[in-house]
Amino acid sequence: MKITYNGFDENLLFEGLILPYFQDHEVDYGGVTLLNNNKLPIQYLKDKELFLGKKGEVHSISFSDGDRNLDVMLIGLGKKEELTGNVLRKAVGKGYRELKKKKPTSIGVYLNHVVEGLKCSYAIGRNTAEAIVMTDYKFDSYKTDNKKELLEEVTLLFDGIDEEFKNGFEEGISIGNSTILARVLVNEPANVLTPTDLAERVKNLGVEKGFEVEVYELEKIQELKMESYLSVAKGSAEPPKFIIMRYTGNPGGETLGLVGKGLTYDSGGLSIKPTKSMNTMKNDMGGASAVIGAMSAIAENKLKVNVTAVVAACENMISGRSYKPGDIIGSMGGKTIFIGNTDAEGRLTLIDAMYYIVNHEKVAKVVDIATLTGAAIHCLGHTATVGIGNDDEFFDMIDKSFNKAGENIWRMPIFEEYKELVKHSEADLTNVAGSPGTITAGIFVGEFAGDIPWIHLDIAGTAWAEKDKDYISKGGTGVGVRSLYYLAKEMAE
Ligand code: BES
Ligand code: MG
Ligand code: ZN
């Protein structure tokens, strides 16, 4: 599918049209050609309360002239004064998803009236492009009967096309595609996407998008004394890969650090998970995919900022060489850890990655992102990412970035009492610190961030979607890609 833009032209013919409406403002689509000079029965739909233009509403109408068919999808934008980029992105995503079910070969998205609510052509271009790119993705690459794509072209119809609109459009396409890249990585099954395969894919991406990639093999990981990470990795027949990505857009300036949890599979280890929980554990590298997607978007858009990302990729498996509950292990930072549960493995891989990035890559600020605790789902469900951190100003920045991306985040507190919970009588720390599990897991990771501003993001609830919704497709969501991109962009400004 190709996506382009054009000024409105009544001679352009499509098989599908998306027409946005406000709830509190008449919208005139008189100039839009419907087959056989048909008119839209807007008053009829309003009288019957079939479509009022409210946020989240969609309504389809089909027109025919005997030979051709036109499917029109009305999408509600809510109140004119309250229109935001996030509302537009969701509305376009939902309408586009519904319209595609009608199998059109071409779609026009009519945007002229949107500007009456959202007065920024950059925001219109970006959010519409983002919505279409993201909604278009479906994980079906393993279906042998997967049907050929019928939709050839989507055209954004807008008379206010200026440089701002074009910039927004290009950026929207880029960050939308970077999100899909992350979704693909999550959706690839663990028998295909091993740590080795992930490292290879990242190397290729680095060449394609313009960032440097270095991969540390087992020997180098051992040399660096990443004992905590290696304890998790050693039960698997697949070798671990420590992946480093570096992008320099502001030589001499400070560097943002990103750490992504990269468990390409989490069986739970000897503290084994029930089968049902294991079924989706290929998604345990959702944090890694977020930082990889963000790096791609950052490099592609040539942001004037330096970003270094690391992923300690491995599998958490069972074998005669697995680490065991009751073990006491070391870590690159020197602290010892009592293993209370081998399923609390993510934090063990993250602390060596965190210690490494802070001390060897000299980052000024650091964000770690991880599908870390089931407890995060109990905290905020599948709706929002749990955040914690040690710096209010830095947290404000990430809060704004999430907002811009339309991703929800909620900050949890770090009380002194919680810090006591990660300590252990026989070792410096324990990997199962108890309730509140999401906060104590985050605190455990933060122990290795030194004194720099640090944010921990638990995406266990948001990295995976059970069903399609708006521009989110079933499976890996690519959460964090766009938010981390905006964070880097904010640091560049
Ligand atoms: N990868 C899981 C967390 C998870 C759960 C991610 C559900 C996505 C969906 C993590 O490694 C894990 O198993 N955490 C344990 C920690 C516990 C043993 C302290 C958990 O949350 O149950
Ligand atoms: Mg686990
Ligand atoms: Zn895990």
Side-chain angles (χ1 to χ4, degrees), residues 261 266 273 281 283-284 341 343-347 371-375 377 431-432 460:
K261 174 174 171 181
D266 179 13
K273 287 182 186 294
M281 272 306 134
N283 91 10
D284 216 15
N341 188 319
D343 199 11
E345 84 300 335
R347 66 198 78 186
T371 47
L372 204 59
T373 63
I377 307 169
N431 78 331
V432 268

Side-chain angles (χ1 to χ4, degrees), residues 312-325:
C314 66
E315 285 185 333
N316 186 21
M317 297 294 280
I318 298 176
S319 77
R321 298 197 315 181
S322 297
Y323 77 138
K324 303 169 286 296

Side-chain angles (χ1 to χ4, degrees), residues 34-47:
L34 304 172
L35 295 178
N36 271 349
N37 287 326
N38 271 302
K39 295 271 173 290
L40 287 164
I42 288 298
Q43 197 53 50
Y44 172 90
L45 296 176
K46 274 192 180 168
D47 291 346

